[in-house]
Amino acid sequence: MPVSVRVIPCLDVDRGRVVKGVNFTDLVDAGDPVALAAAYDAEGADELTFLDVTASSGDRETTYDVVRRTAEQVFIPLTVGGGVRAPEDVDRLLRAGADKVSVNTAAIARPELLRECSQRFGAQCIVLSVDARRVPADGQPTASGFEVTTHGGRRGTGIDAVEWAARGQELGVGEILLNSMDADGTKAGFDLDLITRVRAVVDVPLIASGGAGQVDHFPPAVAAGADAVLAASVFHFGTLRISEVKDGLRASGAVIR
């Protein structure tokens, strides 16, 4: 039986407020995360993703509090990421009410963190977040032409993004959140080349993120291999409703929950 495509609003949280910008800069306030989460739950979102975009140590307790309050309000799976550096951080987020935890920068520094977390908490709880961009002209070439970035896409690592996704699967992650840093916030459509390349090397569920601007951007991402589609600003500012996206996906032949 075909797997249902999930539609996932993403809440980028900074000091307890939802923010959104373009390519992770010029952030503007988009509302209260708990209120937005409850609204998305009521609208029919399949899951929610929270990303703490600053994740400085001083603000961590704010994140735990937001997760706790959100988990009390919604009844759909909640993925939380940002500032996760050790298995103990995963444990705290799960205890606060997260269903899954997204790991990014710390895994780049120490890949074995993914295996440790997967073995301790189960693969279904661990998501590898890959912030990928096309290698700039002055960058270090990679086999796929894409590299992993840190610091909101501003700092290249020279690590091949497609190879890194495959490595994440080998290390035991249960899902990959694939963020196109080139497309983020542009509303010009998902990076289909990136999705296709990563889909070719992984079997775990793949979430496509970055670039959604209109309903007809979503079906091509699914056709390219995404199991779920994630968007932020188009939902936060009312450009699109979750029901519209689901209707568009359904019309394209996708199976929707």
Side-chain angles (χ1 to χ4, degrees), residues 199-212:
R199 176 79 284 165
V201 298
V202 302
D203 301 315
V204 296
L206 180 62
I207 304 169
S209 170

Side-chain angles (χ1 to χ4, degrees), residues 16 24 26 40 43 59 67-68 105 108-109 120 129 144 177 186 188 206 220 223 233 240:
F24 279 66
D26 300 324
Y40 291 141
E43 275 189 42
D59 291 327
V67 172
R68 279 189 288 267
T105 305
I108 296 170
R120 179 170 168 180
S129 181
S144 69
L177 171 55
T186 64
L206 180 62
S233 59
L240 298 176

Side-chain angles (χ1 to χ4, degrees), residues 12-225:
D12 295 322
V13 180
D14 179 13
R15 296 176 178 83
R17 297 288 294 180
V18 176
V19 295
K20 193 58 193 167
V22 177
N23 304 129
F24 279 66
T25 62
D26 300 324
L27 300 178
V28 296
D29 189 284
D32 172 62
V34 180
L36 279 171
Y40 291 141
D41 189 2
E43 275 189 42
D46 297 303
E47 296 186 9
L48 286 170
T49 293
F50 268 35
L51 298 178
D52 183 340
V53 296
T54 49
S56 62
S57 58
D59 291 327
R60 293 307 292 158
E61 194 50 50
T62 299
T63 301
Y64 294 122
D65 178 59
V66 170
V67 172
R68 279 189 288 267
R69 290 189 291 123
T70 301
E72 292 170 359
Q73 294 287 328
V74 303
F75 303 95
I76 52 179
L78 176 62
T79 299
V80 182
V84 175
R85 299 178 180 90
E88 291 69 31
D89 297 322
V90 176
D91 186 58
R92 285 195 70 187
L93 287 168
L94 293 174
R95 290 178 186 276
D99 297 284
K100 295 183 279 189
V101 175
S102 171
V103 186
N104 189 337
T105 305
I108 296 170
R110 194 172 71 83
E112 280 300 313
L113 174 63
L114 297 174
R115 192 190 308 278
E116 293 166 9
C117 291
S118 177
Q119 291 177 346
R120 179 170 168 180
F121 304 106
Q124 76 283 353
C125 289
I126 308 303
V127 179
L128 173 61
S129 181
V130 180
D131 290 345
R133 71 175 180 188
R134 283 179 169 74
V135 178
D138 59 351
Q140 181 178 333
T142 65
S144 69
F146 292 94
E147 70 172 334
V148 177
T149 68
T150 61
H151 299 78
R154 293 183 295 277
R155 187 173 300 178
T157 63
I159 298 170
D160 189 298
V162 176
E163 293 176 2
W164 177 231
R167 177 80 172 126
Q169 177 173 286
E170 291 172 5
L171 289 166
V173 303
E175 192 165 57
I176 292 171
L177 171 55
L178 182 62
N179 309 299
S180 168
M181 307 313 291
D182 298 316
D184 176 74
T186 64
K187 301 183 184 179
F190 293 91
D191 190 325
L192 304 180
D193 183 27
L194 176 62
I195 297 168
T196 301
R197 288 172 182 269
V198 172
R199 176 79 284 165
V201 298
V202 302
D203 301 315
V204 296
L206 180 62
I207 304 169
S209 170
Q214 53 198 52
V215 168
D216 61 10
H217 287 159
F218 292 86
V222 174

